[in-house]
Amino acid sequence: MTKPKCILAIESSCDDTSAAVIREGTLLSNVTHTQEVHQNYGGVVPELASRSHLSAIVPVIDEALRKASCSKQDVEAVAVTRGPGLMGSLLVGVSMAKGLALAWKVPLIEVHHMEAHIMAHFIEAPRPTFPFLCLTVSGGHTQIVRVDAPARFEILGQTLDDAAGEAFDKTGKILGLPYPAGPHIDRLAQTGEASYSFPKPQIQGLDFSFSGLKTAILYFLRAEKKKNVNFVQENLEDICASVQSSIVNILLERLTEAAEKEGLNEIALAGGVSANSGLRTAAKSLAEKKSWNLYIPQLQYCTDNAGMIAMAAWFRGQEELFAGLDMKPDPRLPMTH
């Protein structure tokens, strides 16, 4: 096998069906179909997610190839998210990728979803210089990762329970906000004041914990509603600003500790929660204070998308790291580099 110049990438780890094409390190297309059905249930329903992937994946792949002005004859490798994620969702993407690789007689490249979030920084300039630290925050994961090379990662800290994205969404559910609640909290927080304080988790080292914060917010709201039944409605913007401020402060305090411990000033944010305006603004302010070189991808590359899978696959392809057709999806795939 040789190093592939043109790669078709597929992402289906949760509720977004996405395909992208990359050629010689340049992303040519990135198409995503977002499932809206889950808004009716206040969270992702795995069975509905996998069924939606089945109906969307072929049109999404066709559109990605069309936008890239590529035919199947141009594709020299097929990449796919192996994990982590929802088993049914992963299975759709992996099965499609295997089928295409077999039919087109091209190699298969497996990609770790969280590694891809980090590699999204290399889609466009400015790009971080190795080594760098990446705070990766999403609905299912919160990690601080030291990145020494495209395939060399070391997890310095991670959540022990709920992820930051879960904290936003579960708090939003308590507040009666639509799913996913993170963007709604972000929007409401912009016109509110962080006038309420919540206890910080007492966790040693660089790990995170957000389940206690979620419980503290729940108890706080219960107590306030006993005094005033309309407390949430009357103070929604300030509550959202306070919740967002608490989560952002926890994230950046740990990131600061990690940067000082590792002696690095190349700092990156990645994952869906890195689209949060409060986190972006606070991180930029902190970077200026600490003399960090801060990198945050464009919004379209922060949420789940195949563009980041393609970028990660490009690096793996250059090292000729191919997967066999016996590769299986792994919903709890660890970062082992």
Side-chain angles (χ1 to χ4, degrees), residues 14-15 35-46 48-49 52 179:
C14 190
D15 61 336
Q35 303 174 8
E36 298 180 355
V37 63
H38 307 288
Q39 296 175 6
N40 300 325
Y41 301 92
V44 176
V45 181
L48 295 179
S52 181
Y179 175 86

Side-chain angles (χ1 to χ4, degrees), residues 3-10 19-31 64-65 67-71 74-79 109 111 119-120 122-124 127 301 305-318:
K3 298 175 182 178
K5 295 181 180 179
C6 183
I7 302 172
L8 169 68
I10 298 170
V21 175
I22 192 168
R23 178 185 283 134
E24 296 186 342
T26 299
L27 190 65
L28 301 182
S29 66
N30 189 28
V31 177
L65 289 170
K67 285 192 172 183
S69 298
C70 288
S71 67
D74 297 314
V75 176
E76 297 178 357
V78 178
I109 301 175
V111 175
M119 289 298 101
F122 295 90
I123 295 175
E124 296 179 347
R127 299 172 176 89
Y301 303 128
N305 69 96
M308 67 183 193
I309 306 301
M311 194 73 251
W314 169 255
F315 285 111
R316 294 182 69 82
Q318 295 310 292

Side-chain angles (χ1 to χ4, degrees), residues 33-172:
H33 172 267
T34 300
Q35 303 174 8
E36 298 180 355
V37 63
H38 307 288
Q39 296 175 6
N40 300 325
Y41 301 92
V44 176
V45 181
E47 176 66 19
L48 295 179
S50 57
R51 289 184 182 183
S52 181
H53 284 306
L54 283 170
S55 62
I57 194 164
V58 171
V60 164
I61 290 172
D62 286 344
E63 180 71 1
L65 289 170
R66 187 190 66 79
K67 285 192 172 183
S69 298
C70 288
S71 67
K72 64 182 182 182
Q73 287 80 17
D74 297 314
V75 176
E76 297 178 357
V78 178
V80 67
T81 304
R82 182 185 175 193
L86 299 175
M87 184 61 181
S89 295
L90 291 168
L91 189 59
V92 174
V94 169
S95 298
M96 176 60 72
K98 283 184 179 181
L100 293 177
L102 185 63
W104 296 348
K105 296 181 175 59
V106 296
L108 182 68
I109 301 175
E110 65 174 73
V111 175
H112 188 286
H113 183 78
M114 299 311 294
E115 291 180 13
H117 272 303
I118 297 171
M119 289 298 101
H121 289 92
F122 295 90
I123 295 175
E124 296 179 347
R127 299 172 176 89
T129 301
F130 298 105
F132 66 92
L133 288 184
C134 187
L135 172 63
T136 312
V137 278
S138 67
H141 300 83
T142 301
Q143 299 174 331
I144 298 177
V145 181
R146 180 186 171 110
V147 188
D148 289 303
R152 287 178 58 196
F153 305 90
E154 180 187 358
I155 298 176
L156 304 179
Q158 58 190 327
T159 185
L160 302 177
D161 40 59
D162 288 353
E166 286 180 281
F168 275 117
D169 286 337
K170 291 179 179 178
T171 298

Side-chain angles (χ1 to χ4, degrees), residues 208-225:
F208 298 91
S209 172
F210 290 99
S211 62
L213 174 64
K214 177 195 67 180
T215 303
I217 294 169
L218 175 62
Y219 288 163
F220 166 77
L221 294 175
R222 281 181 180 175
E224 292 299 324
K225 284 195 286 187

